[in-house]
Amino acid sequence: MPQIFAYIEHKGGAADDSAAELVAAAKKIDPAASPVAVVTGWGADFDALCNALTALYAEVWKVADASLAYPNAELVRKALAKVVPHDSILLIAHDHFGLDLAPGLAIKLDSTFVSDVVSIEGLDGGFLKVVRQEYGGQVSTHVRCDVSSGAVVNIRPGAFKPVESAPVNGKVIDKSSQVGALSAGRRYLETFVAESGDVDISKQAVLVSIGRGIQEKDNVAIAQELADAMGAAVSCSRPVVDAKWLDKSRQVGSSGQTVKPKVYMACGISGSFQHLAGLKGNPFIVAINKNPKAPIFQVADVGIVDDLLEFLPELTGKIRELK
Amino acid sequence: MTKQESSARPQFAVEERVAEESVRMFDGIPSPAQATYWSIPGPVLFSVIAVLGLACFAYIVARRLAPLLRGERDIRFDRPLVRLQRVFQYWLGQWKHPRFRFAGTMHILIFAGFLILAFQAFSLLIVGNSGDAVIARFSENAGRSYGILKDYAATIVFLCMVIAATRRIVFKPARYEVPSRYGKGHRADAIFLLALIATLMVSESLFEACKASMQAQHGLQAELLAVLSLPWLLKNALSTVSAATLWNTYRGAYLVDVLTFYFLLCYRPFGIQFHVETSLFNVYFAKLDRGTVKPVRWGVDLDHVKSFGVKTFLDFTWKHMLDFYSCADCGRCSDQCPANAVGRPLSPRFLTTKARDYSFRHYPVVGAVANGTPLIGSIYSEDEIWSCTTCGACEEECPLLIEYIDKIVDLRRGMVDDGNVPKSLQKPLKALESRGNPYGKMEKKRAEWTKLADFQKSCAVPVLDGRQSAESLYFVDSITSYDDRMQSIGRATARILNHVGANFGILGPAEKDSGHEVRRFGEETLFMALRDANVEAIEASGVQRIVTSDPHAFNALKHDYRDLPPVEHTSQLIAREVKAGKIRFNPVEDGDKIYTYHDPCYLGRHNQIYDDPRQVLDAIPGLKRVEMGRSRDRALCCGGGGLMLFYEPKEDQRIGVLRARMAADAGANVIVTACPFCMVNMEDAIKVAGSEGKLTAIDLTELVDQQIARESVSEVVAGEQVVVTRQEGAPV
Amino acid sequence: MEILVCVRRVPDTAENEIELNRAGNDIERDDIVYSVNEWDNYAVEEALQIVAKSGGNVTVVTVGGEDDEEVLRREMAMGANHGVLITDEAFNGSDGRGIATILKAYIQKNKYDLILTGVQAEDGGAQVGGMLASFLDYPFASLVNSIEVLDHNKLKISREIAGGSKEMNEIDLPCVLSIQTGINEPRYVGMRGIRQVASLEIPTYGASDLGLDPNSVGDAAAKVKRTDYFLPALGKGAEILQGSREEIIDSLIGLLKSKGGLK
């Protein structure tokens, strides 16, 4: 059985949610596996993080270097190419960093690369069987990958639920010295944090979408609070934009944006043809509408016949409680 | 002074000594040809003025014509008799003017006044040289009647100048206002022109008054002046003036008159008053064919055209350039423009005046020609040009028959050619290219609307795919085929056609979008591809007539397509069948419903079908109908159809909302439309305006389908016995 | 600047209803409309804007067959100066690494300052760009949403990261960038433009032209293969949740969690 590694992303001393998810994914590949965490970074926060990871991983390979203080995928790739054994299976989250890092890393490790895996069936000889999606999630495919010479696998965030288990008593192994001097043709400069006004709903995975049922501009805040609690963004149908309660950039529809979220909360939206034309892929649609005959219920997965002005705040409250 | 015999020779206080023999008489008194102006003899001075004035004018007109000679070709010399008839109706008859009653009446008076005075004006000019009164050649009576007429004409024109100036200064009608983004106001210029014309009237009247006074003073038979006319009033005012003052006023008035005349002549081509000269030609050459769009280039094979559309000024046709010269800046077009009414960046009046100013700047009377600046991005913005719904209200109003839609389409063609298409329109255009409909839906689902379970049982709609053929084609077009709400219009239409026993079918998957808006949004090549595909399918189907419930498709099939069987709109068919007794109606059940009919632009204005839908509604017993304030050719566009539904304009509110309010103001609670796009816009507007429950919209076909008196037994359809039940009453 | 943009012809998700074919081994391709991958189109527009400012040429390349030529022509109608079709039976069935290997061979026979790909393809793995960069040993950046040419050696780029923030980087030329949608507003390509490029010449390259060993590419060399396609379970109309509001909220939260709707 090949050894399984997991690359851990982190920010401000805290590990990304994917850290626990990658453990779950590793277990799907090999239930008996004891994955090894690989982390790059620099500084006191980083050291503390590595220690904290020992609760999840039996071994935490720490790669500390000043040049890795900011996660520049070009530098991280060079570091990992030296540290990670070539015939292992390396799991990386399929996010903005993982996308940047993994494909090129697979080439450097001379391993097979598999992208955006949503489900793992298991290892069969030297072959890993996984499930991927195509066409914005409209179809799924079973994929068979030859991992006999190693693999780098990008795991879709949220696809693998962390498994509750007793904390592991892992140890930190310092691999920093193996890395040597790192330089790359790409240099990090700075980050511009997006203002909350600059939300691009077409890139959002979860949307809380409102229609005329929101009734007044002041009630838009109800949707924003739910969105904040869910880690989502607020979008809307045309009448809301026309009433100038939200900016045009929030409109979903044939004359608005096309969105491909995983989850779409349609609150007080009737479900007109023009609106639904902007909803692509195969999102999980939750419809909340006072009118049981609203067309949205034809296309939604789950429907709730209730007054959104009362339902949403209660939902928000409950979600917050659970956090 | 006593009256003397006409044979006696009167003495005149002339400045220079004049030999008695050489005194030429002008109705008994010297003409200005006898006067001397600062030591220059009258004839010399006036000859110089005339030559200079005419030469200047000729030169100015030649310079103004220069860009027209370099502009694109335009076919405007055909059907001369029709054109002449229109000159009589619209130019001489001022046909469109009364649409704005006050200003229109004034203009009719001014125009009539000018025509009447024209003869006088020309003869007066000659007087400075020859001294003979041209009028004397006419009979005494004719001369006298004309004299009275012209006196009143001058007076009325003068009064109109005063009223017009007052209007401008005190009342400031909204449509004359110039929003700051278009530059400074036009009021000062307008007042200047009004003052000049008034001056002309006064100087001429003063001249007449002086002449009559001098005749009276010398005991001659004075020319009869019309009572209470300006010359009459001035003559009375001058009655106590000395002979010398009179003589000086007389020749002074003449000089002012001549100078003002020639100044105006040469000044007019520099501004809106050029329409005085160009209006006759503009009306003669005006577009004859409503609802059509000009080809990319007249008489040129598209393969040989390097650049499509209008990008620089010389890409306009000469007639379009003439339009720019002919605009009188009256603002009637913008007053009725729906885009302008909701704050979109489009105002037709300024489309024209900006182009005119551009042409004056770049093709000046004096100075070098400056060629080739792109218009979009300099005088026009992209949104300005995309904002137009092509409703035709501007063209309907313009008294000079200035055309707008063709220019907008040409400007759009230029932008499309450069790849400059707003993102919101790229999606539907691409879908039209690959799927033949703007929604990107699959071709094979185009006839799905006929397969709704209950409907299909009662009303079979054959697809004319070669195996089946029929006498009539129901051309459904994209929105009625694919939009769930509009599909009910399709079904209602099918049931109506069934009811009247029509042998019809649809093209189904072989039908492509009619391409009506594709063409009007400037994608000519894609339009031609859609058209060719449709024509092929229609010819293959072997139908002999076409009916459609979509006015945009109707207009396209009628005007953009060629060599098709006759096309009609469902409202025409229904009206005919009602008259023939084949359609009878059940009375309206809900007595609280008050209906109003909204004229779709492509049924109403562009094709002048106003009465058929109204006759249909009025044939329904118990249907209470009111007319909106703006109806028929004054109807306000719903906001636009086809690709316009995808465009994201910058506007203060939606055009449809304005229209919904008009319906409510008229006292209606049901808006009846005859166009699926009007339906989309009206239903949206009702939601946005918060009028749900107070106002609803229904399509004519849905209403007819709902109210048709059907015998409950079977109706025979194409040889099959089908039980027609009252089904799917459209939502009211 | 010589820019190469790698493009791909894919089924258009906006204009198709993606369904499975009867055999379950592919999507139903009858009646499918293809177009250029949306991300690649943004990349071509970006390349055109760069050369408009800094001079140079844009070449578009695709690995495929005859059918794929149409996307090259479309991008040439948009303004690309050259189109290149890399085609060979031996290339069929290549996985992402195979495609990258093929493109690498082509690139090494030419001189390009900048290579652009789209972030991902509708049916792809967001991988070719990164792999290509590694093969060529060029610096790489993904999710690029703005490019500024600093000089003939360097670019300043921004990457789209979590929450819509922008990560600014400096990158040396030659490099590979994968382009994110929204970086620009691609110009419209009208039907007229497409007709005008219909007869332009598009050179082709095969395995031997590129000096590629057929065993290193194609189906035989692929390590990642789809075995079948299937549809995730679909419901018929909404399942209306029943019970008290509290109960409904609880059910809903459970469902949201399982669908990834809650962070």
Side-chain angles (χ1 to χ4, degrees):
Chain A
M1 276 298 192
Q3 186 159 34
I4 302 180
F5 289 79
Y7 179 79
I8 309 299
E9 294 179 45
H10 56 94
K11 193 168 178 180
D16 188 73
D17 287 347
S18 57
E21 292 171 16
L22 293 179
V23 175
K27 298 280 188 201
K28 286 282 189 182
I29 297 174
D30 174 9
S34 180
V36 173
V38 181
V39 213
T40 61
W42 181 254
D45 278 351
F46 174 60
D47 298 335
L49 168 78
C50 291
N51 288 326
L53 282 169
T54 55
L56 279 176
Y57 290 86
E59 273 184 45
V60 177
W61 289 14
K62 168 174 158 177
V63 180
D65 192 285
S67 63
L68 297 171
Y70 180 84
N72 177 340
E74 298 284 286
L75 292 169
V76 171
R77 191 180 312 115
K78 296 200 170 172
L80 294 184
K82 292 192 182 148
V83 164
V84 175
H86 282 218
D87 52 3
S88 56
I89 295 180
L90 172 59
L91 305 180
I92 307 179
H94 184 81
D95 60 12
H96 69 275
F97 181 79
L99 263 189
D100 209 23
L101 169 69
L105 180 57
I107 299 300
K108 290 302 178 195
L109 292 174
D110 207 20
S111 326
T112 299
F113 173 69
V114 199
S115 171
D116 198 21
V117 167
V118 301
S119 172
I120 294 174
E121 306 206 327
L123 217 45
D124 173 19
F127 290 89
L128 181 63
K129 290 162 69 173
V130 303
V131 173
R132 295 189 66 248
Q133 291 180 344
E134 292 183 6
Y135 305 105
Q138 290 181 68
V139 289
S140 301
T141 84
H142 289 117
V143 182
R144 197 164 174 268
C145 326
D146 180 346
V147 301
S148 47
S149 327
V152 174
V153 184
N154 265 0
I155 301 287
R156 180 181 288 189
F160 292 85
K161 276 183 276 295
V163 178
E164 304 273 349
S165 61
V168 172
N169 252 333
K171 56 186 196 295
V172 176
I173 302 181
D174 198 329
K175 296 276 184 177
S176 311
S177 55
Q178 283 187 345
V179 155
L182 294 172
S183 71
R186 177 177 125 198
R187 296 163 289 285
Y188 169 68
L189 297 175
E190 60 183 326
T191 299
F192 289 129
V193 179
E195 292 150 32
S196 55
D198 298 359
V199 174
D200 183 352
I201 58 168
S202 66
K203 309 279 169 45
Q204 295 289 325
V206 185
L207 288 170
V208 173
S209 206
I210 54 175
R212 285 209 71 236
I214 203 79
Q215 280 177 29
E216 290 170 11
K217 186 168 187 167
D218 296 331
N219 292 337
V220 174
I222 297 178
Q224 186 61 58
E225 281 173 28
L226 175 61
D228 290 340
M230 289 176 72
V234 174
S235 61
C236 65
S237 62
R238 184 135 194 201
V240 173
V241 171
D242 288 334
K244 305 226 194 315
W245 298 337
L246 279 179
D247 185 62
K248 180 79 194 181
S249 61
R250 300 286 184 141
Q251 182 188 326
V252 175
S254 63
S255 73
Q257 309 253 19
T258 302
V259 296
K260 293 181 272 210
K262 277 186 302 189
V263 173
Y264 192 73
M265 309 279 290
C267 313
I269 289 177
S270 61
S272 81
F273 171 77
Q274 278 86 5
H275 177 70
L276 293 173
L279 198 51
K280 297 275 185 229
N282 187 29
F284 181 73
I285 303 177
V286 178
I288 303 161
N289 201 303
K290 247 192 312 203
N291 174 12
K293 294 217 180 77
I296 190 77
F297 288 119
Q298 311 278 326
V299 294
D301 295 293
V302 154
I304 296 159
V305 182
D306 202 343
D307 183 347
L308 73 95
L309 296 177
E310 291 177 34
F311 186 86
L312 293 194
E314 278 199 45
L315 177 62
T316 307
K318 201 66 198 286
I319 293 175
R320 286 210 183 112
E321 260 178 61
L322 293 174
K323 281 194 150 179
Chain B
M1 278 211 175
T2 54
K3 224 181 181 178
Q4 303 200 2
E5 297 300 294
S6 54
S7 56
R9 263 184 288 177
Q11 298 305 305
F12 291 97
V14 295
E15 281 190 15
E16 74 277 22
R17 281 177 51 238
V18 176
E20 286 183 358
E21 298 79 28
S22 66
V23 170
R24 280 177 286 177
M25 294 305 161
F26 175 47
D27 286 345
I29 53 169
S31 82
Q34 267 60 65
T36 309
Y37 296 81
W38 307 286
S39 316
I40 307 170
V44 174
L45 181 63
F46 296 120
S47 300
V48 167
I49 293 176
V51 166
L52 273 179
L54 290 171
C56 250
F57 179 68
Y59 179 71
I60 293 168
V61 168
R63 293 286 295 195
R64 284 286 179 247
L65 279 179
L68 269 68
L69 296 173
R70 296 168 66 188
E72 285 300 324
R73 185 206 261 205
D74 210 322
I75 306 297
R76 304 280 182 154
F77 291 87
D78 57 329
R79 293 172 270 177
L81 290 175
V82 177
R83 294 183 180 280
L84 221 47
Q85 178 263 316
R86 284 154 63 89
V87 166
F88 273 95
Q89 181 178 358
Y90 295 105
W91 185 80
L92 196 60
Q94 300 274 290
W95 192 257
K96 298 229 183 160
H97 268 286
R99 291 167 75 98
F100 282 74
R101 212 160 324 144
F102 190 78
T105 309
M106 278 221 298
H107 188 272
I108 290 173
L109 290 172
I110 297 170
F111 180 74
F114 273 24
L115 284 182
I116 293 168
L117 288 166
F119 188 66
Q120 159 78 344
F122 287 119
S123 66
L124 209 53
L125 291 173
I126 304 168
V127 153
N129 290 38
S130 72
D132 292 56
V134 178
I135 295 167
R137 297 205 192 102
F138 284 85
S139 75
E140 286 266 340
N141 282 331
R144 212 174 296 135
S145 319
Y146 177 71
I148 293 179
L149 201 57
K150 72 157 173 49
D151 286 342
Y152 283 130
T155 313
I156 291 170
V157 171
F158 176 76
L159 282 173
C160 285
M161 292 301 115
V162 173
I163 296 170
T166 312
R167 253 179 119 231
R168 285 264 179 179
I169 297 170
V170 177
F171 297 99
K172 301 190 228 198
R175 70 175 181 278
Y176 299 150
E177 293 306 303
V178 176
S180 51
R181 69 177 180 276
Y182 293 117
K184 58 181 177 51
H186 300 167
R187 199 179 319 141
D189 197 56
I191 306 285
F192 181 56
L193 276 161
L194 294 170
L196 281 174
I197 298 170
T199 305
L200 202 57
M201 297 300 113
V202 169
S203 62
E204 188 205 77
S205 300
L206 195 55
F207 178 75
E208 291 292 315
C210 288
K211 182 166 137 213
S213 275
M214 287 196 294
Q215 286 171 331
Q217 280 193 349
H218 292 96
L220 294 168
Q221 183 167 25
E223 195 167 313
L224 202 60
L225 295 176
V227 177
L228 288 180
S229 72
L230 195 55
W232 186 90
L233 291 167
L234 287 171
K235 175 186 165 234
N236 286 346
L238 293 167
S239 58
T240 53
V241 157
S242 74
T245 315
L246 208 51
W247 172 248
N248 285 331
T249 312
Y250 172 74
R251 63 200 182 99
Y254 184 76
L255 180 65
V256 170
D257 186 77
V258 168
L259 284 175
T260 310
F261 177 87
Y262 282 108
F263 178 77
L264 267 175
L265 184 70
C266 295
Y267 185 68
R268 276 198 296 268
F270 286 89
I272 64 145
Q273 284 288 313
F274 202 8
H275 79 269
V276 169
E277 275 84 16
T278 65
S279 54
L280 177 71
F281 301 98
N282 213 51
V283 170
Y284 183 81
F285 290 123
K287 182 170 174 173
L288 297 177
D289 304 311
R290 274 184 191 259
T292 61
V293 166
K294 71 177 270 288
V296 174
R297 291 258 190 281
W298 287 101
V300 180
D301 190 333
L302 281 184
D303 292 335
H304 302 271
V305 178
K306 274 203 139 148
S307 162
F308 272 33
V310 166
K311 298 179 189 172
T312 65
F313 189 77
L314 291 181
D315 294 330
F316 279 119
T317 71
W318 61 263
K319 173 57 171 67
H320 289 171
M321 294 180 189
L322 188 62
D323 276 344
F324 296 140
Y325 287 164
S326 303
C327 174
D329 201 33
C330 70
R332 294 176 180 208
C333 49
S334 293
D335 192 68
Q336 296 289 302
C337 172
N340 190 45
V342 296
R344 289 192 191 182
L346 172 65
S347 172
R349 169 187 173 206
F350 292 103
L351 265 187
T352 302
T353 56
K354 282 190 289 185
R356 184 200 54 213
D357 292 342
Y358 177 95
S359 76
F360 285 2
R361 264 196 320 272
H362 290 248
Y363 303 94
V365 167
V366 179
V369 162
N371 251 338
T373 327
L375 297 171
I376 305 279
S378 62
I379 60 169
Y380 296 140
S381 74
E382 294 158 20
D383 283 322
E384 185 176 1
I385 305 305
W386 293 115
S387 288
C388 175
T389 69
T390 70
C391 76
C394 49
E395 296 184 353
E396 194 70 31
E397 290 310 321
C398 183
L400 292 143
L401 306 189
I402 290 173
E403 295 144 30
Y404 281 99
I405 296 177
D406 276 346
K407 297 188 184 98
I408 299 246
V409 172
D410 264 344
L411 285 160
R412 288 175 174 176
R413 283 172 176 155
M415 287 196 278
V416 168
D417 204 44
D418 288 340
N420 193 3
V421 175
K423 194 143 177 263
S424 57
L425 294 177
Q426 289 194 27
K427 268 196 287 182
L429 281 169
K430 189 155 177 310
L432 281 158
E433 188 191 319
S434 24
R435 287 288 186 201
N437 68 79
Y439 314 109
K441 303 252 166 173
M442 302 182 84
E443 298 93 326
K444 64 186 183 199
K445 303 220 167 156
R446 203 166 173 112
E448 291 287 287
W449 63 271
T450 63
K451 303 198 179 121
L452 193 72
D454 291 333
F455 172 77
Q456 197 171 26
K457 268 185 266 173
S458 60
C459 184
V461 179
V463 173
L464 309 175
D465 55 4
R467 281 172 295 170
Q468 297 197 75
S469 81
E471 202 218 347
S472 301
L473 169 66
Y474 172 34
F475 190 92
V476 188
D477 215 350
S478 304
I479 190 171
T480 309
S481 301
Y482 289 112
D483 183 313
D484 336 1
R485 167 63 186 91
M486 300 313 141
Q487 287 175 350
S488 78
I489 294 178
R491 287 187 279 268
T493 304
R495 276 196 292 266
I496 294 169
L497 290 171
N498 241 358
H499 180 87
V500 301
N503 170 234
F504 77 100
I506 61 172
L507 290 175
E511 184 188 273
K512 302 238 176 280
D513 194 275
S514 67
H516 187 259
E517 258 59 46
V518 174
R519 181 172 220 198
R520 283 152 183 77
F521 273 71
E523 236 292 23
E524 188 76 6
T525 316
L526 177 58
F527 160 72
M528 295 193 311
L530 293 167
R531 178 187 63 186
D532 294 343
N534 274 327
V535 170
E536 205 184 299
I538 292 172
E539 282 175 354
S541 72
V543 295
Q544 269 134 51
R545 70 188 88 251
I546 304 175
V547 66
T548 179
S549 47
D550 182 329
H552 289 242
F554 172 67
N555 194 60
L557 294 170
K558 202 149 186 245
H559 294 124
D560 294 332
Y561 286 45
R562 281 183 288 271
D563 305 324
L564 281 187
V567 189
E568 66 176 356
H569 183 259
T570 41
S571 61
Q572 296 175 293
L573 182 145
I574 297 169
R576 195 177 57 244
E577 300 292 0
V578 165
K579 282 197 205 109
K582 276 188 144 170
I583 293 181
R584 266 168 290 125
F585 293 115
N586 293 323
V588 168
E589 280 167 13
D590 188 342
D592 290 332
K593 296 239 178 280
I594 303 190
Y595 295 76
T596 189
Y597 177 68
H598 160 76
D599 293 279
C601 299
Y602 277 100
L603 198 60
R605 251 190 305 272
H606 290 289
N607 285 290
Q608 307 193 284
I609 297 171
Y610 301 114
D611 294 314
D612 285 347
R614 287 174 168 82
Q615 285 163 7
V616 170
L617 290 176
D618 293 340
I620 300 176
L623 188 143
K624 293 181 217 157
R625 185 169 73 82
V626 295
E627 203 68 75
M628 286 188 265
R630 283 180 59 171
S631 67
R632 306 176 84 98
D633 62 352
R634 272 272 173 96
L636 184 77
C637 178
C638 68
L643 287 170
M644 188 48 89
L645 290 182
F646 294 86
Y647 178 62
E648 296 164 6
K650 296 188 185 67
E651 53 190 9
D652 297 336
Q653 64 179 315
R654 301 180 69 194
I655 295 171
V657 170
L658 284 185
R659 194 53 169 165
R661 287 214 195 100
M662 288 181 188
D665 289 344
N669 47 36
V670 184
I671 301 176
V672 182
T673 73
C675 170
F677 300 111
C678 287
M679 178 60 73
V680 170
N681 285 317
M682 285 297 105
E683 289 191 333
D684 255 352
I686 290 170
K687 262 192 245 171
V688 169
S691 304
E692 274 157 322
K694 286 177 258 170
L695 206 51
T696 51
I698 186 172
D699 188 85
L700 186 70
T701 56
E702 292 172 328
L703 183 56
V704 166
D705 181 46
Q706 188 185 281
Q707 299 296 132
I708 276 187
R710 292 185 167 94
E711 280 70 54
S712 59
V713 207
S714 38
E715 289 193 354
V716 180
V717 174
E720 289 174 32
Q721 294 271 92
V722 198
V723 174
V724 177
T725 52
R726 279 195 60 166
Q727 264 286 18
E728 199 189 32
V732 179
Chain C
M1 195 180 295
E2 293 301 309
I3 307 184
L4 179 72
V5 186
C6 308
V7 302
R8 197 183 148 92
R9 177 177 177 261
V10 297
D12 192 316
T13 34
E15 289 157 27
N16 294 307
E17 288 162 26
I18 305 289
E19 288 164 353
L20 293 185
N21 68 3
R22 237 173 266 267
N25 57 6
D26 196 359
I27 58 171
E28 181 55 68
R29 300 211 178 230
D30 282 349
D31 232 9
I32 281 246
V33 163
Y34 288 85
S35 64
V36 69
N37 183 38
E38 202 189 340
W39 286 263
D40 302 345
N41 196 49
Y42 278 97
V44 174
E45 174 65 32
E46 193 62 21
L48 292 171
Q49 289 188 14
I50 293 173
V51 305
K53 274 196 219 126
S54 320
N57 290 294
V58 177
T59 304
V60 285
V61 63
T62 193
V63 179
E66 219 171 61
D67 290 338
D68 299 291
E69 225 190 62
E70 76 183 11
V71 298
L72 293 176
R73 290 199 191 278
R74 188 177 184 280
E75 302 308 290
M76 288 163 78
M78 202 161 151
N81 307 87
H82 310 289
V84 173
L85 176 65
I86 301 182
T87 180
D88 197 306
E89 289 242 333
F91 298 156
N92 294 347
S94 296
D95 60 4
R97 185 187 171 120
I99 302 285
T101 307
I102 296 164
L103 288 169
K104 165 196 169 210
Y106 170 76
I107 291 167
Q108 285 177 328
K109 289 209 177 306
N110 293 273
K111 197 175 176 313
Y112 293 106
D113 302 304
L114 177 61
I115 297 156
L116 302 180
T117 70
V119 163
Q120 63 194 66
E122 299 285 3
D123 58 354
Q127 57 196 315
V128 169
M131 292 183 166
L132 191 52
S134 262
F135 274 138
L136 295 166
D137 262 318
Y138 286 176
F140 172 68
S142 63
L143 297 163
V144 173
N145 57 13
S146 88
I147 300 178
E148 190 193 320
V149 177
L150 293 175
D151 57 44
H152 65 276
N153 274 331
K154 302 197 285 296
L155 304 174
K156 184 168 169 190
I157 57 158
S158 77
R159 292 185 60 240
E160 179 191 275
I161 59 175
S165 300
K166 290 179 159 199
E167 181 194 270
M168 308 304 295
N169 291 273
E170 200 184 74
I171 190 164
D172 297 332
L173 293 175
C175 70
V176 179
L177 302 177
S178 84
I179 303 296
Q180 179 62 295
T181 57
I183 185 175
N184 53 41
E185 282 205 26
R187 66 201 65 184
Y188 177 69
V189 181
M191 222 182 183
R192 179 175 183 238
I194 294 173
R195 288 204 179 154
Q196 285 176 326
V197 299
S199 48
L200 288 179
E201 154 122 34
I202 293 185
T204 60
Y205 293 83
S208 52
D209 299 310
L210 299 178
L212 276 172
D213 174 5
N215 293 324
S216 66
V217 293
D219 187 68
K223 299 229 172 150
V224 178
K225 298 188 195 187
R226 292 183 201 86
T227 55
D228 67 18
Y229 277 80
F230 64 97
L231 286 178
L234 282 176
K236 298 246 175 275
E239 177 207 332
I240 307 288
L241 298 182
Q242 305 291 337
S244 71
R245 188 178 285 158
E246 224 185 289
E247 288 166 6
I248 290 178
I249 287 180
D250 284 337
S251 318
L252 180 60
I253 290 180
L255 283 167
L256 287 174
K257 273 197 182 150
S258 72
K259 297 290 174 183
L262 291 179
K263 287 257 167 75

